[in-house]
Amino acid sequence: MSAAALAPLRAFEEWESRASLADKQLESIAFLQGLSAELPVPLELAALQASAMLDDASDGTAAASASAASNALQSLPATARPSTSNGPAVATIESTIETTQQFLAWFAKVEEEMERGQEDIYRAYLATMRGYRQATVEILSKTEETHAFLDDLERNYNFVEEKTKGLQQACETLLDEQTHLISVAEELAAKLAYFNELDPITKMLSAPGETIVMDDKFGPMLQKLDQCLAFVLDHPHYKDAEVYRMRYRQCMTRCMTLIKMHFVDNIRALQNDIREKLAGRQTHEPLAANMQLTLFYVKFRTQALKVKGLIAEVEERCSRHAEYLALLRDCFSAYFVVRRTLLTPFISEHIRSINNASLLDFVANGCAYMIRLCADEYQLFRQFFTLGEEEVLSYLESLATGLYDQLRPLILRELKIDTLSDMCQSLLSYLKTMEPQTQAAGDTGASAQANTAPVKFIVQKILEDAQQRLVFRAEAFIQQELQKFKPREEELLVLARGRGLPQPMSINLSVGVTPMLNESINPPSSSVASGADMTARSPSALLSPNLEAAFDVTEAEAASSFVIGKLAYGGGEWYPTMQRTLYLLGRLYGAVPRPIFEDLAQEAVDACRTTLLAAADVLTSKQTKLDGQLFLIKNLLMLREQISSFDARFVRREETLNYSEMLEAVRDVIKNSWRAPLMSFSGAIMAAASAPRVIQSYADANEALGRDLRRTCEDLILETAKGAVEPVASFMLKVSAFRLRNDARPPASRDTLQNQSFAQPNQIGVVFEAFKETTQRRLVATVTRMSDYIGDKKTQAVLIRIIRSQILDNYQAFVETVVAEYDASTAARIVSVADMAALIDSACERGLLASASAVTPAASASATPRGSVTAREPPAAA
């Protein structure tokens, strides 16, 4: 279908959409449509159709046609019905037929009428066709007229439609223009509103006094002022935008200044009110707790509810306009000045009141008081302000500085290491409670940390002073009590626990030695234990059952083998320098930082080790070398085991400057100095000399202890075994010399060992008896002295096993030589290695029994006072 054919349809649909009919009108149209569904046959057509049916009926072709024709004629109106009278079927005789001519004329006429009667059907049908044709022609003419009318109607409709569309488009254009103009007008009005607010705001701010900030309109006015200022800042190209920006900024500054003045006046008025209520009361007079709460906190909290919103307005604009920070800082300053003026006298008086107790109590009470005070002050500050974290921390720090000013002189005058150590421990515990993870569950991490940050800073400063003083006193203690320690001779004998002296039962100490000591000593050094492991592998190194039982440690002995204040390491008292060293380490451990503790611990342990070596040398010169060795082994073992309790390395780093390269450069310049003038000589020295090198070295106290202990144990084992096997060793040395000389001779001139004077068969028994007597005597004396000094059965067992193993190794070589060089009768004069091991074990058992019998009378004698031979206590000044 073409667009021209669709145009009327679109116009009709558009017209239908614009002029819709009501429901009643639609019902009327439907009724008319139903009536016109079957239109009646035109009258002319109905008459012709009825005549045709009658003609058909006259022929007698069908009775139904006649009845249908009659029915059709009946249905026609009377005027339209055809005439049913055919006239006379035969022409009537108008006159009497008299002649043939008349008859023929009459017959012709009758015949003509009959023919005419037969042709009436055709004529009626022809008339009907003519009527139909005429009706059709009329219908066609009417149709053409209707078509022409519809064409005119379509042309008129298209014309109306075009005009309507034009009108509609014009209306839409006008409507769009109206909408655009309205939006432009509204936009202009909205933008002009930011400029029109200047006069009302200026008029409102021109009112006298500061009470305007409490007006209900002040808050909305600030919001409008922010919006207007932001608008003119975003549109600087508008006319007079810069002027309005300056005016609005002046208004905003005026508002912020009014808020600041109102806050300062209110806070000062509150200060004057509190001063009036405190008038006539001395600062040293105690103030009731409820009155303090009411005056110093409740009143301020009430005031905070009134000014919190105004201060929030200033704080909100500080992030966008930095110039308002000065006004906010003025508020901070006024608040802090008022709070400091009110609280400082009472804080100072409270600190003076708690200063009457001991230093430790003063520190504990002062820190607890400052923590509570700072927490209250921080919470009160946050009820006024949201910003100002640095300012409030500085303020709280100034409050806590009073405690520091009172404590610092007392700390610098303190001489007791115990007091300084306990103070450091107490301050460290306070610092741990201030950590975020240990705060109360109701506080957030940031607020809780901010509450305690100033106190933490002050406590940290007090702790640093206390640690510095403690380190100073510890260094002085090491220098005076360790490095300069010189024991008296009789005191050294008692402390060394030799020669069967009375065994002391306790040490009267004014202070604990150290809180970190072991209650019992574990097996001794690794060097001695490794030697025991190696000797235990051979069957000859197994001790006899009696000796093994003697070295077994019972539960009671293990529990009391080393207890603070009682016997030290099974026998003897604490050597003073070791007691003081462990005391110092115990007081320093956990009280000072780990690097400082390791440095001081290395120095103290090294000084203690040096004094033990010096004491061992004195014992060696005054008594025997065995006494010095056993004394040193005992004390080094004790010291090493006790310092292992501390989680530290005992290593100190030392840095020295190496000037060797600089000296070498100076020597080279001096050799060639005669060739250059004085100025060039100094320049040559500066150019040739290189910077001194820094050399780092590490002093390890544990390593030094292990080295001295290992050396002393090796010397003791070697000298004891050498003294015990001296006859056999001398004989085997001569045998070795003879074999070397004999091997150097020709085979024909070689001699046998039995022919030598020192190796006669009878000399074998003499050498064996001398070896047996020397071994038993030396072992009994050594084991007795070892038990007297060391007293620890495990350590004794390790040392005896190694000594026994070395003796048996030498005797094994002697036995092998006798068996190889002599006959059976001569070899029968000596015992086997197993029998010699039993003799050695017997000698060791006798030594242990002799030591036990010597201890029994000494226990009864230990109850008597010894006068000056008591262990020296750490001086009170420590």
Side-chain angles (χ1 to χ4, degrees):
M1 188 178 292
S2 62
L6 290 175
L9 182 61
R10 293 197 199 98
F12 177 76
E13 291 177 353
E14 186 175 358
W15 183 268
E16 183 69 22
S17 62
R18 291 187 179 182
S20 59
L21 300 178
D23 294 341
K24 191 172 182 179
Q25 294 173 345
L26 292 175
E27 291 178 358
S28 300
I29 292 174
F31 177 73
L32 294 177
Q33 185 177 2
L35 293 179
S36 61
E38 296 181 359
L39 296 177
V41 180
L43 298 178
E44 295 85 353
L45 293 178
L48 292 176
Q49 187 176 5
S51 299
M53 291 181 179
L54 289 176
D55 291 339
D56 292 338
S58 62
D59 292 337
T61 56
S65 298
S67 61
S70 62
N71 292 334
L73 291 176
Q74 291 295 330
S75 62
L76 292 176
T79 57
R81 293 175 185 173
S83 178
T84 57
S85 61
N86 292 329
V90 180
T92 60
I93 299 176
E94 296 178 357
S95 63
T96 305
I97 298 173
E98 293 178 353
T99 63
T100 304
Q101 188 65 32
Q102 289 180 345
F103 174 75
L104 289 173
W106 172 79
F107 182 76
K109 186 176 180 181
V110 170
E111 191 177 26
E112 183 181 357
E113 288 179 359
M114 289 177 62
E115 289 176 1
R116 188 183 298 114
Q118 291 177 356
E119 291 176 359
D120 284 340
I121 297 174
Y122 299 104
R123 291 188 183 95
Y125 182 76
L126 179 60
T128 301
M129 290 294 102
R130 289 174 180 174
Y132 282 157
R133 186 178 63 178
Q134 185 66 30
T136 302
V137 170
E138 292 178 358
I139 289 173
L140 288 176
S141 64
K142 295 290 183 71
T143 302
E144 290 176 359
E145 293 177 0
T146 303
H147 190 270
F149 176 75
L150 291 175
D151 289 340
D152 293 340
L153 182 62
E154 182 180 4
R155 285 194 297 272
N156 294 333
Y157 176 79
N158 291 334
F159 175 77
V160 173
E161 183 181 13
E162 290 177 1
K163 295 298 182 180
T164 303
K165 289 182 179 180
L167 180 61
Q168 180 182 3
Q169 186 175 4
C171 294
E172 291 176 353
T173 303
L174 293 176
L175 183 61
D176 293 339
E177 291 178 357
Q178 180 184 5
T179 303
H180 173 68
L181 293 176
I182 292 174
S183 62
V184 170
E186 292 177 353
E187 184 177 357
L188 290 176
K191 293 180 179 180
L192 288 175
Y194 294 105
F195 296 91
N196 296 332
E197 294 290 342
L198 179 61
D199 293 336
I201 293 175
T202 305
K203 182 178 180 181
M204 184 176 182
L205 293 178
S206 300
E210 305 167 4
T211 57
I212 185 177
V213 297
M214 303 304 296
D215 193 348
D216 296 338
K217 300 179 181 179
F218 186 75
M221 184 266 291
L222 286 178
Q223 301 297 329
K224 292 181 181 179
L225 190 56
D226 285 334
Q227 297 173 2
C228 296
L229 187 58
F231 181 81
V232 296
L233 288 175
D234 294 338
H235 302 85
H237 57 283
Y238 283 7
K239 184 180 180 180
D240 296 336
E242 186 65 23
V243 176
Y244 277 90
R245 184 188 65 80
M246 295 176 58
R247 297 287 301 277
Y248 281 136
R249 185 60 60 85
Q250 292 174 358
C251 294
M252 181 63 71
T253 304
R254 171 65 176 168
C255 293
M256 299 298 104
T257 305
L258 290 175
I259 293 175
K260 188 252 316 186
M261 295 173 60
H262 177 73
F263 174 78
V264 173
D265 292 344
N266 284 357
I267 205 74
R268 288 177 179 174
L270 186 60
Q271 177 188 7
N272 296 332
D273 183 28
I274 295 175
R275 280 183 173 178
E276 291 177 0
K277 293 185 178 181
L278 294 176
R281 180 185 296 272
Q282 300 296 330
T283 56
H284 63 273
E285 295 182 8
L287 192 64
N290 57 353
M291 189 172 182
Q292 289 184 9
L293 180 63
T294 302
L295 294 179
F296 296 148
Y297 292 100
V298 175
K299 285 182 172 293
F300 280 87
R301 290 169 184 167
T302 304
Q303 188 65 28
L305 297 176
K306 301 178 181 179
V307 299
K308 175 68 174 179
L310 297 175
I311 297 297
E313 297 289 348
V314 181
E315 292 175 337
E316 181 183 357
R317 289 159 180 81
C318 288
S319 59
R320 300 192 300 267
H321 309 289
E323 60 270 18
Y324 299 145
L325 284 174
L327 298 176
L328 185 61
R329 291 193 183 100
D330 292 342
C331 296
F332 291 156
S333 178
Y335 174 81
F336 292 145
V337 167
V338 170
R339 294 298 299 174
R340 192 181 291 110
T341 303
L342 293 175
L343 294 178
T344 300
F346 294 94
I347 294 175
S348 302
E349 180 61 26
H350 183 78
I351 292 176
R352 284 193 295 269
S353 64
I354 62 177
N355 195 8
N356 298 328
S358 63
L359 182 59
L360 294 178
D361 294 338
F362 182 31
V363 171
N365 296 333
C367 291
Y369 173 71
M370 281 300 166
I371 290 175
R372 294 193 303 270
L373 178 63
C374 290
D376 294 339
E377 287 297 310
Y378 186 85
Q379 293 176 2
L380 182 61
F381 177 82
R382 285 301 171 213
Q383 292 184 358
F384 281 91
F385 305 97
T386 304
L387 303 179
E389 189 70 22
E390 295 181 0
E391 287 79 2
V392 68
L393 294 182
S394 177
Y395 162 68
L396 296 178
E397 182 181 337
S398 65
L399 293 182
T401 305
L403 177 64
Y404 176 74
D405 295 338
Q406 292 287 336
L407 278 175
R408 179 174 171 79
L410 299 178
I411 293 174
L412 297 180
R413 291 196 299 266
E414 184 60 43
L415 299 177
K416 294 182 180 180
I417 292 179
D418 293 339
T419 303
L420 293 172
S421 176
D422 293 339
M423 183 187 300
C424 292
Q425 296 284 356
S426 177
L427 293 174
L428 286 172
S429 65
Y430 271 109
L431 290 178
K432 289 181 180 179
T433 59
M434 297 176 191
E435 295 298 329
Q437 61 269 19
T438 59
Q439 297 292 338
D443 296 337
T444 60
S447 62
Q449 188 174 5
N451 292 345
T452 58
V455 183
K456 185 177 181 180
F457 175 76
I458 297 300
V459 171
Q460 186 67 35
K461 291 178 64 176
I462 298 173
L463 176 62
E464 290 174 358
D465 291 341
Q467 289 176 340
Q468 184 178 2
R469 181 62 178 172
L470 178 60
V471 171
F472 174 77
R473 291 299 305 154
E475 291 177 347
F477 183 85
I478 293 172
Q479 184 179 5
Q480 296 175 5
E481 303 300 331
L482 298 181
Q483 296 176 354
K484 296 182 179 180
F485 175 76
K486 294 181 179 180
R488 295 186 293 272
E489 182 178 351
E490 63 276 10
E491 185 178 20
L492 182 61
L493 294 177
V494 174
L495 297 174
R497 279 303 300 122
R499 300 295 185 184
L501 295 174
Q503 187 174 14
M505 295 304 296
S506 63
I507 300 176
N508 184 17
L509 297 179
S510 59
V511 293
V513 177
T514 171
M516 299 297 294
L517 297 180
N518 290 336
E519 293 186 354
S520 61
I521 295 298
N522 294 328
S525 65
S526 59
S527 61
V528 180
S530 62
D533 294 338
M534 290 187 296
T535 57
R537 296 173 185 172
S538 60
S540 61
L542 297 177
L543 302 179
S544 63
N546 293 334
L547 190 58
E548 289 285 358
F551 285 137
D552 287 340
V553 181
T554 62
E555 295 181 0
E557 291 175 344
S560 61
S561 60
F562 183 77
V563 181
I564 298 302
K566 293 190 178 180
L567 301 182
Y569 211 78
E573 293 181 347
W574 289 90
Y575 191 69
T577 56
M578 187 169 63
Q579 170 192 345
R580 296 170 187 178
T581 299
L582 297 177
Y583 157 77
L584 182 63
L585 295 182
R587 304 313 296 176
L588 291 177
Y589 189 71
V592 296
R594 185 189 180 101
I596 298 177
F597 172 78
E598 291 180 350
D599 186 75
L600 291 175
Q602 190 278 333
E603 185 179 359
V605 172
D606 194 66
C608 179
R609 181 183 60 82
T610 303
T611 58
L612 292 177
L613 293 174
D617 294 339
V618 173
L619 282 176
T620 301
S621 63
K622 297 296 181 180
Q623 298 182 18
T624 62
K625 188 174 182 179
L626 179 61
D627 292 318
Q629 290 174 340
L630 292 174
F631 166 80
L632 190 58
I633 290 174
K634 177 191 72 172
N635 287 278
L636 288 179
L637 281 174
M638 293 170 61
L639 181 60
R640 178 172 174 172
E641 293 297 333
Q642 292 309 307
I643 66 174
S644 65
S645 307
F646 299 96
D647 184 15
R649 296 188 304 160
F650 295 92
V651 177
R652 179 178 58 182
R653 187 180 68 177
E654 298 177 351
E655 295 181 353
T656 57
L657 295 177
N658 186 3
Y659 293 93
S660 59
E661 296 182 1
M662 181 179 290
L663 294 176
E664 188 65 27
V666 172
R667 290 193 189 99
D668 294 340
V669 173
I670 292 175
K671 289 180 182 179
N672 302 323
S673 60
W674 59 273
R675 299 179 183 178
L678 180 61
M679 296 300 293
S680 62
F681 173 72
S682 61
I685 292 179
M686 297 300 295
S690 60
R693 292 186 298 108
V694 178
I695 300 177
Q696 295 183 354
S697 59
Y698 295 88
D700 193 341
N702 263 326
E703 183 180 354
L705 279 178
R707 184 173 60 251
D708 290 340
L709 180 60
R710 190 184 311 108
R711 177 184 55 80
T712 305
C713 290
E714 291 173 355
D715 292 344
L716 173 65
I717 293 169
L718 180 61
E719 293 176 3
T720 302
K722 183 179 179 181
V725 302
E726 195 276 331
V728 172
S730 178
F731 175 77
M732 294 302 297
L733 183 62
K734 293 176 182 180
V735 171
S736 299
F738 165 74
R739 287 176 175 174
L740 289 175
R741 292 193 305 270
N742 196 35
D743 292 341
R745 296 175 183 177
S749 62
R750 290 179 181 177
D751 199 359
T752 60
L753 182 60
Q754 297 181 6
N755 296 331
Q756 305 301 317
S757 59
F758 69 91
Q760 297 292 328
N762 59 349
Q763 291 295 325
I764 298 301
V766 175
V767 172
F768 171 72
E769 292 297 332
F771 167 73
K772 178 181 177 182
E773 189 273 334
T774 304
T775 300
Q776 291 182 348
R777 175 172 47 83
R778 190 63 180 265
L779 285 178
V780 170
T782 301
V783 172
T784 302
R785 194 67 58 83
M786 191 183 298
S787 300
D788 189 26
Y789 273 94
I790 298 179
D792 182 62
K793 294 182 179 181
K794 293 182 180 180
T795 306
Q796 295 178 54
V798 172
L799 294 174
I800 290 175
R801 281 192 180 95
I802 300 175
I803 295 172
R804 178 176 177 271
S805 177
Q806 293 194 5
I807 293 174
L808 290 178
D809 289 342
N810 284 272
Y811 184 72
Q812 178 73 29
F814 174 72
V815 171
E816 291 175 355
T817 301
V818 171
V819 172
E821 298 289 342
Y822 296 91
D823 54 8
S825 61
T826 304
R829 297 179 182 180
I830 63 175
V831 298
S832 64
V833 177
D835 294 337
M836 180 53 65
L839 291 175
I840 293 174
D841 292 343
S842 177
C844 292
E845 292 176 9
R846 292 199 302 272
L848 293 175
L849 292 176
S851 176
S853 62
V855 171
T856 302
S860 60
S862 62
T864 60
R866 295 191 303 273
S868 61
V869 288
T870 57
R872 290 197 289 181
E873 303 171 0

